[in-house]
Amino acid sequence: MRKGASGWLAKGLLLLLVASFGVWGIGGDMLTSSVGSNVIEVGDTSVSLGEFQRDYQRNLNILSARFNTQLTQEQAQQFGLAQMTVNQIASRALVDEKTKLLGLSADDEAVREMIQTQPSFQNQFQQFDRFLFEQFLARNGYSEGEYIEIVRNDITGEQLFGTFSQGMNKAPAVLVDTFYAYLAENRTAKYIDILDSSIGFAPAPTDEELETLIKETPENYSAPEYRKISYILLAPETVAAATEISEEDLKAEYEARKSEFDTPEMRAVMQMIFENEDTATAAYKKISEGADFAEVAMSDLQLTPADIDLGMMSKSDLLPELQEPVFDLETDGVTQPVKTVLGWHLAKVGEIIPGEERNYDAVKDQLKKDIQQNKAHELLYTQATKLEDEFAGGAKLEEASQALDLNVVKTDWIDANGNDKAGNPVATLPSATGFLAEAFARQIGDEAEVSETSDGGYYAVVVDEIEAAAVKQLADVKEQATKDWQENWRHEEARKKAEDLLVRLNAGESLEDIASELGLTVQTSLPVMRSGSAGELSPVARDGLFDLDPAAYGVNVNKAGNGTLLYRVADIIPADRETDKDAFTQMSEQITASIRASILAEYENYLQKDIGISVKEDLIKEYF
């Protein structure tokens, strides 16, 4: 647009367009946009697209923090983030509408108490910390007013929903017993393992048989998609190495950060806190007369040595009123009673570890590296901004590199894992997270974009050529395909052998006799349950074990996948709630919670029908 609008013809057309607006005006339909439309309506409550956007972005940030990476819009769609946001907003609005109809409310005092008693907003002394609260609001994108309304909604919602599950304090015993008896039953198996390798010779496959194998499992014999790409990399280390730092800058940085390089003095501190000065003074007198600090803590406050031990503390770790008194003491010294917001303190100092000051020469190299990194990031940001401007102006990767004197790197064929056609890693590729994913998500002709790396660098990548993934010719994979075919043949023969032996077992022969005939040992598995670890068995063999009658035999693949198990039930160990009370209690609680959740879900479904809910899904899909 910048280049196109520079000509007189383009400028003339723009002037004519402006003049037409002046003569005929702007139609009302031009001023109405779906951006301002409501996307969710619940009763009398309407939610605009902007409000939905804020909640959606908040959920995206929370989810990104959980996975420790910034999720893309495509990844958010895979997680169903838009639908999750719709559900949250609709549920909140339903509760708000119903509680208003019922006259339920929460006053400011209740909201304040709810917020101030949340552990995440309390400091180490279990006191409400305004700073922690504001950090939470900023991190999650809430204003204080928005969060207060959410808490108010939670309180009234609990008033509404809390009554529904009051009668469901414990799941019916017959239900819990039935589930527990089924899920906690253990079984052991007696088995022999007929390995594929015991089959021995395997015939050579024909070309037709190999072609069939390749057709059935093409992923095992396919070359991956390969690409040739070009990229510009702006890396902190390359810029930092060329950044000169003066001695004056280094010394100024040292003075500004001097305290950062000093190791503070640390002291082992024990402390007891009294409600009033008189009791604290009486305890101090006992200690002054020779009583042991820990013994006084036990006799006066019933506190053990572990209760009064604060560990190694720096001066800043202590309450302001205690800092000077504690750090004026010698080893084994005890402070006189000191008053703080928590009460009257007596503190004793044990081991003292002196602090250490690191001089300028000791930290000079670190200072230089830090300053270089900071300046490098500033320079990189400037370069990245200029590069974005070039791309915005229509420049291709090569054109932008020439304009800014940047280096373009071109690769030979690489796959999505960064390997060449020989399967060897290409060491010169950038290690930036997401670089290869972006290179293999783009298409030939896509406009270049600047992306940021986790270490503060930037890159831009374009696709030059694509060689699509394809099944290799038989001649190129014949050796591997032949080996795979013969392994499959042996595995199938071992299974047939096990099934033939199964017929003999069902006719009355014993597993021990057949094992002796084959030179194998009958093994007994450890107890397994229907879920969880399968132990020595494969998961499918474990499942089959619970399907068997006590006298029956089964055939299934072994755990390693290189043989076939021939097995029967060795022992059935009924569930015993007394031997694992914790598991039984946990199951009972889970079933109870599930029943409660089902009751609440049914009520919410009723509210949706009673109050009415409308969601403009097409509009949401348009933006999200």
Side-chain angles (χ1 to χ4, degrees), residues 137-152:
L137 296 179
R139 190 166 57 247
N140 292 281
Y142 291 117
S143 69
E144 185 171 331
E146 286 175 331
Y147 187 71
I148 286 173
E149 288 309 307
I150 289 174
V151 173
R152 196 185 305 277

Side-chain angles (χ1 to χ4, degrees), residues 405-462:
D405 194 24
L406 299 173
N407 184 40
V408 174
V409 180
K410 292 182 174 293
T411 72
D412 200 351
W413 294 111
I414 59 171
D415 65 18
N417 294 316
N419 299 324
D420 59 23
K421 284 197 170 184
N424 300 315
V426 179
T428 55
L429 288 174
S431 59
T433 302
F435 175 80
L436 284 172
E438 183 172 343
F440 276 77
R442 290 182 164 277
Q443 299 300 317
I444 296 174
D446 285 354
E447 295 181 0
E449 295 178 0
V450 177
S451 300
E452 188 173 0
T453 66
S454 58
D455 62 351
Y458 301 87
Y459 67 85
V461 59
V462 296

Side-chain angles (χ1 to χ4, degrees), residues 233-243 369 372-377 380 429-432 453 455-458:
L233 179 65
L234 304 175
E237 58 272 14
T238 57
V239 178
T243 305
K369 182 178 178 181
Q372 283 179 329
Q373 286 291 337
N374 290 336
K375 288 192 173 183
H377 287 304
L380 286 176
L429 288 174
S431 59
T453 66
D455 62 351
Y458 301 87

Side-chain angles (χ1 to χ4, degrees), residues 337-353:
V338 178
K339 188 179 186 303
T340 75
V341 293
L342 300 179
W344 290 85
H345 299 244
L346 291 182
K348 179 180 178 180
V349 172
E351 179 186 5
I352 298 177
I353 301 176

Side-chain angles (χ1 to χ4, degrees), residues 137-199:
L137 296 179
R139 190 166 57 247
N140 292 281
Y142 291 117
S143 69
E144 185 171 331
E146 286 175 331
Y147 187 71
I148 286 173
E149 288 309 307
I150 289 174
V151 173
R152 196 185 305 277
N153 185 277
D154 288 343
I155 295 173
T156 55
E158 179 59 28
Q159 293 172 359
L160 175 64
F161 288 111
T163 58
F164 285 93
S165 57
Q166 284 183 357
M168 181 47 64
N169 296 321
K170 189 174 183 181
V174 64
L175 184 62
V176 178
D177 289 341
T178 302
F179 271 106
Y180 186 73
Y182 179 79
L183 294 174
E185 177 190 305
N186 279 264
R187 292 191 177 193
T188 61
K190 281 191 177 297
Y191 66 92
I192 57 174
D193 194 354
I194 303 172
L195 296 175
D196 299 345
S197 58
S198 67
I199 301 302

Side-chain angles (χ1 to χ4, degrees), residues 299-585:
S299 63
D300 288 17
L301 299 173
Q302 289 73 55
L303 296 175
T304 67
D307 296 330
I308 62 175
D309 188 2
L310 298 183
M312 300 302 295
M313 307 286 286
S314 68
K315 197 170 188 177
S316 60
D317 292 331
L318 297 169
L319 289 170
E321 298 90 341
L322 287 170
Q323 291 176 0
E324 294 301 330
V326 169
F327 274 76
D328 285 343
L329 295 174
E330 301 294 335
T331 301
D332 294 330
V334 178
T335 66
Q336 294 191 19
V338 178
K339 188 179 186 303
T340 75
V341 293
L342 300 179
W344 290 85
H345 299 244
L346 291 182
K348 179 180 178 180
V349 172
E351 179 186 5
I352 298 177
I353 301 176
E356 179 184 358
E357 292 187 6
R358 299 172 66 192
N359 60 28
Y360 170 73
D361 291 331
V363 298
K364 181 178 179 180
D365 291 341
Q366 179 62 44
L367 288 170
K368 183 176 182 180
K369 182 178 178 181
D370 292 345
I371 296 174
Q372 283 179 329
Q373 286 291 337
N374 290 336
K375 288 192 173 183
H377 287 304
E378 293 174 5
L379 291 172
L380 286 176
Y381 179 76
T382 301
Q383 284 185 316
T385 302
K386 291 179 179 178
L387 189 59
E388 284 181 328
D389 289 342
E390 289 293 325
F391 292 150
K396 301 297 183 184
L397 193 75
E398 293 282 356
E399 295 170 340
S401 70
Q402 292 172 7
L404 301 177
D405 194 24
L406 299 173
N407 184 40
V408 174
V409 180
K410 292 182 174 293
T411 72
D412 200 351
W413 294 111
I414 59 171
D415 65 18
N417 294 316
N419 299 324
D420 59 23
K421 284 197 170 184
N424 300 315
V426 179
T428 55
L429 288 174
S431 59
T433 302
F435 175 80
L436 284 172
E438 183 172 343
F440 276 77
R442 290 182 164 277
Q443 299 300 317
I444 296 174
D446 285 354
E447 295 181 0
E449 295 178 0
V450 177
S451 300
E452 188 173 0
T453 66
S454 58
D455 62 351
Y458 301 87
Y459 67 85
V461 59
V462 296
V463 180
D464 299 325
E465 296 182 58
I466 298 177
E467 185 178 289
V471 178
K472 297 178 181 178
Q473 296 296 316
L474 175 59
D476 297 328
V477 296
K478 189 168 186 177
E479 183 178 349
Q480 181 61 44
T482 298
K483 180 182 177 183
D484 293 344
W485 186 93
Q486 289 177 327
E487 287 181 356
N488 293 344
W489 185 88
R490 289 190 182 93
H491 188 72
E492 183 62 19
E493 289 299 309
R495 186 188 64 79
K496 290 178 181 178
K497 182 177 180 179
E499 289 179 344
D500 291 339
L501 294 171
L502 179 63
V503 174
R504 291 170 56 184
L505 288 169
N506 289 335
E509 293 190 49
S510 72
L511 188 63
E512 286 73 15
D513 289 343
I514 288 179
S516 177
E517 176 186 318
L518 298 176
L520 300 174
T521 302
V522 176
Q523 302 179 63
T524 302
S525 72
L526 293 172
V528 294
M529 293 192 296
R530 281 184 168 85
S531 60
S533 172
E536 307 101 297
L537 309 177
S538 63
V540 291
R542 183 269 315 278
D543 295 344
L545 182 66
F546 281 89
D547 291 334
L548 287 176
D549 292 331
Y553 289 87
V555 170
N556 251 311
V557 67
N558 67 5
K559 185 174 184 177
N562 63 352
T564 303
L565 297 181
L566 188 57
Y567 61 98
R568 67 174 176 83
V569 177
D571 191 17
I572 297 176
I573 308 168
D576 183 2
R577 55 190 290 179
E578 295 301 322
T579 59
D580 195 352
K581 292 183 179 179
D582 290 342
F584 181 82
T585 301

